[in-house]
Amino acid sequence: MGIYARVQIGNVQVVALNRLAGFSSGNFSELNVADYVGDDLENVAKNINEVLKLVGADDIAVMSAEHGNNVIEVDQGGKCEPSDVLITRVPNLALLGLSADCVTVALIDAHSGVIGIVHSGWQGLVAQVLQTAIDSILANGAARENLVAVIGPAICAKCYEVSQDRVAKVSPINSAAILDSQHIDLCGGIKATLVDNAIRYEQFIGCTFEEEDLFSFRRADGKPTGRGGMVVCMRIDEVTS
Ligand SMILES: [Zn+2]
């Protein structure tokens, strides 16, 4: 079905994608949702349409992550300008964040009717993208006490061995993201930022590197691979009388 995990918060659905039950083949099998990795674009479009159906959306806005902290407020579907944060108040418009080892985080205020999706790898930790996203969603009408975050599957700290140089870049900014001198804990860094902001969270536990049903850039080891990620949508069904 393409669903790795899902949760409903009020009228908001969050689905973490696995790589099953899509149209792509080979390195991209099967549910690749990225159009920049060398996959057949027609299959990518069909896969994105499947994702739209998973959350019952009318339209879907697709992130173009750039490992920065730019935020876009979206009100229509399609491929977005480069950005690692999408925010919307539009019902039935799904937001799709792409990743393959990086972490995606959904931010939800079902009560105020505003949702967001965030993409962060180690560069996102350095750029403090999640903090920027939280500040932006609060400025867009969310209330801190209503906000709930959902953390998607990502590469775990044990599997994410990096250079000491990279650790040195992250460490002064987000010490909770450091497992040791050669390992970065992306989800640990994300959780620390949520706790600092007094935001409740749930986590879809899972390591993209270890679980073969998830796309992993690192497991692909230089070969092309697809992207999965997480989709969030605030559903409001029209009432007809
Ligand atoms: Zn792992």
Side-chain angles (χ1 to χ4, degrees), residues 138-232:
L138 291 172
N140 273 280
R144 192 180 299 275
E145 59 272 25
N146 297 334
L147 268 179
V148 179
V150 179
I151 304 170
I155 192 166
C156 79
K158 174 171 61 75
C159 294
Y160 195 28
E161 185 176 344
V162 299
S163 66
Q164 295 193 9
D165 179 55
R166 193 175 292 186
V167 168
K169 285 181 177 142
V170 174
S171 179
I173 293 166
N174 193 329
S175 59
I178 307 304
L179 178 67
D180 58 37
S181 65
Q182 288 185 305
H183 293 84
I184 289 177
D185 181 355
L186 293 175
C187 290
I190 292 295
K191 284 189 250 184
T193 300
L194 293 169
V195 169
D196 284 349
N197 283 274
I199 292 173
R200 290 171 289 144
Y201 65 84
E202 311 192 8
Q203 183 177 10
F204 294 145
I205 302 285
C207 172
T208 47
F209 186 81
E210 293 174 67
E211 298 203 24
E212 297 203 345
D213 287 351
L214 299 172
F215 285 112
S216 170
F217 180 79
R218 186 162 275 223
R219 177 160 28 85
D221 197 22
K223 292 193 281 295
T225 192
R227 298 290 182 278
M230 203 152 66
V231 59
V232 56

Side-chain angles (χ1 to χ4, degrees), residues 104-123:
T104 48
V105 185
L107 294 172
I108 297 148
D109 180 347
H111 184 77
S112 307
V114 55
I115 58 172
I117 189 90
V118 184
H119 164 271
S120 178
W122 72 271
Q123 293 167 96

